[in-house]
């Protein structure tokens, strides 16, 4: 049994849900990346305090930006892996370019801002900047963790519901009658699957239904439920196998995606 069409509304809803999930994941990633940047950017302030004289705020800003960028690069390369691991040699070499970078910015006259302030004022500015950056960074990281835990909890709840539904839709079969006895059980490899075993008893005979939906997971489980309902609705005491299959195929045609089928 197969279908070559699907309801446009279902596809639009599926696309919209997928878009929302992707948008939520992207938002979480930006929270993490921004948080990492601000958590590690105060290393630039520490470097400033190690100088003979605390730098002005423009020099401190550059050091903070470079420190945060390096930490962000390590986070992205390790988290994403694959081609992103190519950033590692660059990240290892960036600190050696600091003298050159600061020389370029100094030549452009971009490092003089705040240099004329008193040493105490420069120290206060560095401490305040470090505190703001750390506070902001930790806030964003905690927000990322909270959203991730909430999303994972939602996934776990959905999977638990799917597992329970699968058990209700495919209860173990142990049926006996004048036609004999049928014993069977469908166990999904994950929370939900597309394997179906069912017995429809007509007294003097019974229909034994074994079905396998393509794919696996919740999608296959939902289609399996549709197949079970269609078979029970189309069957009858005197219904032939050909008529049963034809009726089920006609019922499901147009309700399933083209690549989904059941045998």
């Amino acid at each position: 049994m197969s279908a070559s069409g699907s309801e446009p509304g279902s596809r639009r809803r599926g696309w919209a849900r997928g878009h929302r999930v992707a948008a939520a994941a992207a938002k979480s990633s930006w929270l993490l990346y921004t948080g990492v940047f601000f958590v590690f950017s105060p290393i630039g302030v520490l470097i400033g305090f190690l100088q003979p004289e605390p730098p002005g705020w423009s020099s401190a800003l550059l050091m903070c930006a470079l420190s945060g960028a390096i930490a962000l690069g390590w986070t992205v390369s390790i988290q994403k892996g694959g081609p992103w691991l190519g950033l590692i040699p660059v990240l290892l070499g960036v600190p050696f370019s600091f003298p050159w970078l600061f020389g370029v910015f100094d030549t452009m006259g971009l490092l003089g801002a705040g240099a004329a302030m008193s040493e105490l004022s420069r120290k206060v500015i560095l401490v305040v900047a470090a505190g703001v950056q750390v506070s902001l960074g930790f806030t964003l990281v905690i927000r990322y963790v909270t959203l991730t835990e909430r999303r994972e909890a939602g996934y776990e709840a959905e999977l638990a519901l799917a597992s329970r539904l699968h058990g209700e839709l495919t209860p173990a079969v142990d049926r006996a009658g004048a036609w004999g006895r049928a014993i069977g059980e469908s166990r999904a490899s994950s929370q939900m699957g597309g394997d179906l075993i069912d017995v429809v008893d007509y007294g003097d005979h019974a229909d034994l239904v074994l079905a396998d939906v393509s794919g696996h997971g919740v999608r296959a489980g939902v289609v399996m439920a549709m197949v079970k309902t269609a078979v029970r609705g189309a069957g009858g005491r005197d219904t032939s196998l050909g008529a049963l299959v034809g009726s089920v195929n006609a019922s499901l045609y147009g309700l399933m995606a083209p690549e989904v089928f059941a045998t």
Side-chain angles (χ1 to χ4, degrees):
M1 292 173 286
S2 62
S4 60
S6 61
E7 292 183 336
S10 299
R11 287 195 169 188
R12 284 196 296 269
R13 287 191 296 272
W15 178 88
R17 185 178 186 279
H19 181 71
R20 287 194 299 271
V21 171
K27 178 183 178 182
S28 297
S29 296
W30 279 111
L31 285 173
L32 172 64
Y33 296 151
T34 308
V36 167
F37 178 90
F38 282 112
V39 166
F40 287 92
S41 59
I43 293 177
V45 175
L46 177 61
I47 296 174
F49 272 107
L50 294 177
Q51 304 301 314
E53 270 191 58
W57 64 263
S58 58
S59 296
L61 181 64
L62 177 58
M63 289 188 290
C64 289
L66 292 173
S67 301
I70 292 174
L72 179 59
W74 279 104
T75 302
V76 172
S77 61
I78 293 174
Q79 184 186 47
K80 292 183 176 295
W84 291 94
L85 293 175
L87 282 174
I88 293 179
V90 178
L91 295 172
L92 292 173
V94 167
F96 296 99
S97 67
F98 279 8
W100 176 81
L101 284 173
F102 277 89
V104 171
F105 279 89
D106 189 36
T107 302
M108 297 172 64
L110 300 177
L111 299 183
M117 301 175 69
S118 67
E119 182 175 342
L120 177 61
S121 298
R122 281 177 277 165
K123 287 183 177 181
V124 170
I125 290 175
L126 291 178
V127 170
V128 171
V132 170
Q133 291 173 72
V134 170
S135 299
L136 179 58
F138 272 108
T139 300
L140 293 174
V141 170
I142 291 173
R143 179 61 176 166
Y144 164 78
V145 172
T146 301
L147 288 178
T148 301
E149 290 180 346
R150 188 180 302 167
R151 189 167 61 248
E152 292 297 328
Y155 292 156
E156 290 295 330
E158 289 184 1
L159 290 176
L161 176 61
S163 181
R164 188 165 65 250
L165 285 175
H166 183 268
E168 294 173 353
L169 291 170
T170 57
V173 173
D174 189 350
R175 191 76 59 82
W179 43 268
R181 186 180 183 185
I183 302 175
E185 184 179 5
S186 173
R187 296 181 181 178
S189 58
S190 58
Q191 280 75 8
M192 201 169 190
D195 296 328
L196 170 65
I197 178 171
D198 192 23
V199 174
V200 185
D201 190 354
Y202 297 109
D204 57 341
H205 73 280
D207 287 340
L208 174 62
V209 183
L210 299 175
D212 179 21
V213 177
S214 61
H216 61 277
V218 176
R219 183 186 189 186
V222 171
V223 175
M224 178 271 294
M226 295 168 60
V227 171
K228 180 177 182 177
T229 302
V231 169
R232 286 186 168 238
R237 179 179 295 274
D238 301 319
T239 304
S240 66
L241 178 60
L244 174 63
V245 173
S247 178
V248 171
N249 190 71
S251 298
L252 298 181
Y253 183 86
L255 298 179
M256 294 156 54
E259 68 274 12
V260 177
F261 62 92
T263 53

